[in-house]
Amino acid sequence: MSGGLLVAGTTSDAGKSVVTAGICRWLVRQGVKVAPFKAQNMSLNSFVTREGAEIGRAQAMQAQAARVEPTALMNPVLLKPGSDRSSQVVLMGRPVGEMTARGYHGGRQQQLLGTVLDCLAELRGTYDAVICEGAGSPAEINLRRTDIVNMGIARNARLPVLVVGDIDRGGVFASFFGTVALLSREDQEFVAGFLVNKFRGDVSLLEPGLDMLKDLTGRRTYGVLPFRHGLGIDEEDGLRVSLRGAVRESAVAGPVGEDVLRVAVCAVPLMSNFTDVDALAAEPGVVVRFVDRAAELADADLVVVPGTRGTVAALRWLRERGLAEAVLRRAREGRPVLGICGGFQILGEHIEDEVESRAGAVDGLGLLPVRVRFAREKTLTRPAGEALGEHVEGYEIHHGVAEVTGGEPFLDGCRVGAVWGTHWHGSLESDGFRRAFLREVAAAAGRRFVPAADTSFGALREEQLDRLGDLIEEHADTDALWRLIESGAPQGLPFIPPGAPA
């Protein structure tokens, strides 16, 4: 059996995904054959593997960090929220139904433990090391009985646990201590120590606290990672993340031409794969912001209606907020609009949905000659083709089946004037196509914007993953970390009362 590690966190968004990716990149640079793993993921940002399986985008990016092809084994259970109370359950890359949180934690989750452990065992039999990511906090005492992603899998697979805490939020020492102290004696045996994330300032001022933490818990700190702007991989939890007002902009250089290009993304409910616009934001001179008010579309050169897990609900939201009318007005004026996946469906003439919302017949915005019927079978593909004279690759994740009745062909969707629509996610990551598309947008918007000739989104991603690997290599005790991965948690770790409630 190969080595392994579970990266847990004191909270959601403590940095588990980033640390997991960083450890994977550090290990692969040492010649270690490594794979990522997350037993259960809740995310609206997903990816399609080459075998046609849907997994979380974070695991796909971690696989890239490990320089391996992502597979369903790396994320056997994916939950895609459809509301505050229910999610679509995706098992081994395929949807198996909708379930409420009570129903899932009431029994279904525990039934999946065997599948999860089988996937992990297969990965551990293939790779030198498997770096697992937990979810939320391992000290969710109300969910421990059915847990299959934190201590439930650590104990079953006998994995050492590294707890990550975000010191930028404050209270990291209390969070570290409290996380351990709320675990049972049996679970505490696997918690090897801590990793501080997002530290600003002089580490020597932190060291007395780390020494006291070791005295209190008997567990060491394996590193202090400094705060770095612009780090991270594809966001994971689309239900919790609020992008209102968030701005993404290239930090590489200023615009090549005389003008910048402003992109407004409608922050629709249950927005999915909003990482589609990261490739736009990587272009020098392109500013991307997420908006939820009609007035914020006024100065945009391009409006993007993104993917969503609730097409009909998103359409209703756009109408209620006046955004639908603002988009229609833009289209009448010949100003650019792009719809991706659910956004493409919204821009069409008619939607027939007895699957996702069960709303039946609904009129779309009517900007594209498209009629959409929702099928129970989900489309999961990795298409490739040509558009605007350039090669394009993407991936599709949708229940809606589009019948295109007119317009110019565009990535299996269509274009009418300055309005484009496609089911393809990730198409803007194709560098030549992205530049050609931006030239069209700039011309339609009357902007003297020129896309950079040498921006490579793939290369920028690799640089980012290398920066994550550098963080681990330079600021963690990598010798101790490797011993942990290879040999497991140290023996004789003390029990910290009170432990988990009976």
Side-chain angles (χ1 to χ4, degrees), residues 58-78:
Q59 279 60 66
M61 288 294 289
Q62 289 162 354
Q64 185 176 347
R67 296 177 180 150
V68 296
E69 188 67 31
T71 72
L73 291 173
M74 298 172 185
N75 179 208
V77 181
L78 173 64

Side-chain angles (χ1 to χ4, degrees), residues 31 77 165 185 218 282 290 352 382 398 423 445:
V77 181
R185 185 182 298 273
F290 293 84
E352 190 72 33
R382 290 274 293 270
H398 54 90
H423 271 135

Side-chain angles (χ1 to χ4, degrees), residues 182-327:
L182 279 176
L183 299 177
S184 68
R185 185 182 298 273
E186 294 79 7
D187 284 349
Q188 287 190 25
E189 291 174 4
F190 293 92
V191 179
F194 313 106
L195 187 75
V196 177
N197 191 28
K198 297 185 182 178
F199 179 73
R200 305 172 191 252
D202 185 345
V203 176
S204 66
L205 299 177
L206 187 66
E207 288 171 350
L210 301 179
D211 292 339
M212 287 185 274
L213 182 67
K214 185 174 182 182
D215 291 341
L216 287 166
T217 67
R219 291 159 173 84
R220 59 165 297 169
T221 297
Y222 283 77
V224 178
L225 307 185
F227 187 97
R228 291 285 186 267
H229 287 285
L231 278 185
I233 59 177
D234 294 352
E235 280 92 341
E236 187 167 276
D237 195 333
L239 192 64
R240 292 196 187 102
V241 172
S242 173
L243 290 170
R244 170 72 184 91
V247 176
R248 299 183 179 201
E249 183 177 6
S250 171
V252 178
V256 175
E258 296 180 42
D259 289 341
V260 299
L261 209 62
R262 295 174 177 82
V263 179
V265 184
C266 297
V268 298
L270 298 174
M271 183 165 44
S272 61
N273 287 64
F274 51 82
T275 47
D276 281 333
V277 298
D278 283 352
L280 294 178
E283 283 284 347
V286 176
V287 180
V288 178
R289 68 183 187 275
F290 293 84
V291 305
D292 62 2
R293 298 170 188 167
E296 294 173 302
L297 303 187
D299 67 344
D301 301 306
L302 169 68
V303 168
V304 177
V305 186
T308 172
R309 248 284 273 155
T311 298
V312 172
L315 177 57
R316 182 170 58 249
W317 181 87
L318 288 168
R319 285 176 167 144
E320 290 171 350
R321 288 180 168 261
L323 283 157
E325 180 54 39
V327 169

Side-chain angles (χ1 to χ4, degrees), residues 176-492:
F176 281 145
F177 183 87
T179 296
V180 179
L182 279 176
L183 299 177
S184 68
R185 185 182 298 273
E186 294 79 7
D187 284 349
Q188 287 190 25
E189 291 174 4
F190 293 92
V191 179
F194 313 106
L195 187 75
V196 177
N197 191 28
K198 297 185 182 178
F199 179 73
R200 305 172 191 252
D202 185 345
V203 176
S204 66
L205 299 177
L206 187 66
E207 288 171 350
L210 301 179
D211 292 339
M212 287 185 274
L213 182 67
K214 185 174 182 182
D215 291 341
L216 287 166
T217 67
R219 291 159 173 84
R220 59 165 297 169
T221 297
Y222 283 77
V224 178
L225 307 185
F227 187 97
R228 291 285 186 267
H229 287 285
L231 278 185
I233 59 177
D234 294 352
E235 280 92 341
E236 187 167 276
D237 195 333
L239 192 64
R240 292 196 187 102
V241 172
S242 173
L243 290 170
R244 170 72 184 91
V247 176
R248 299 183 179 201
E249 183 177 6
S250 171
V252 178
V256 175
E258 296 180 42
D259 289 341
V260 299
L261 209 62
R262 295 174 177 82
V263 179
V265 184
C266 297
V268 298
L270 298 174
M271 183 165 44
S272 61
N273 287 64
F274 51 82
T275 47
D276 281 333
V277 298
D278 283 352
L280 294 178
E283 283 284 347
V286 176
V287 180
V288 178
R289 68 183 187 275
F290 293 84
V291 305
D292 62 2
R293 298 170 188 167
E296 294 173 302
L297 303 187
D299 67 344
D301 301 306
L302 169 68
V303 168
V304 177
V305 186
T308 172
R309 248 284 273 155
T311 298
V312 172
L315 177 57
R316 182 170 58 249
W317 181 87
L318 288 168
R319 285 176 167 144
E320 290 171 350
R321 288 180 168 261
L323 283 157
E325 180 54 39
V327 169
L328 289 168
R329 187 164 55 249
R330 287 182 61 89
R332 288 194 295 267
E333 295 168 355
R335 302 171 68 197
V337 177
L338 171 65
I340 303 174
C341 199
F344 168 43
Q345 297 164 9
I346 285 169
L347 297 183
E349 297 170 343
H350 184 79
I351 298 169
E352 190 72 33
D353 182 11
E354 298 292 351
V355 176
E356 190 176 77
S357 68
R358 298 181 176 85
V362 178
D363 288 332
L365 296 187
L367 294 177
L368 294 174
V370 176
R371 299 179 70 84
V372 176
R373 177 185 55 81
F374 274 69
R376 297 198 177 277
E377 186 72 19
K378 181 182 280 191
T379 297
L380 296 167
T381 63
R382 290 274 293 270
E386 187 174 295
L388 304 181
E390 300 285 348
H391 179 72
V392 193
E393 296 182 7
Y395 56 99
E396 294 187 49
I397 306 169
H398 54 90
H399 284 279
V401 178
E403 178 190 1
V404 179
T405 60
E408 299 177 44
F410 177 74
L411 300 179
D412 290 344
C414 65
R415 170 188 182 177
V416 174
V419 180
W420 295 267
T422 177
H423 271 135
W424 291 23
H425 293 290
S427 63
L428 294 166
E429 296 177 18
S430 298
D431 296 326
F433 166 72
R434 182 181 64 255
R435 287 192 279 269
F437 176 72
L438 288 175
R439 282 192 290 269
E440 295 250 350
V441 168
R447 293 289 184 186
R448 289 173 292 184
F449 168 85
V450 178
D454 56 354
T455 300
S456 167
F457 186 68
L460 290 172
R461 265 188 172 166
E462 278 297 304
E463 289 173 13
Q464 185 183 53
L465 292 171
D466 275 332
R467 290 174 66 199
L468 294 180
D470 292 343
L471 273 182
I472 298 298
E473 191 167 340
E474 296 169 9
H475 300 282
D477 186 338
T478 52
D479 289 340
L481 194 58
W482 176 245
R483 287 194 298 272
L484 190 62
I485 293 168
E486 192 175 40
S487 304
Q491 298 296 306

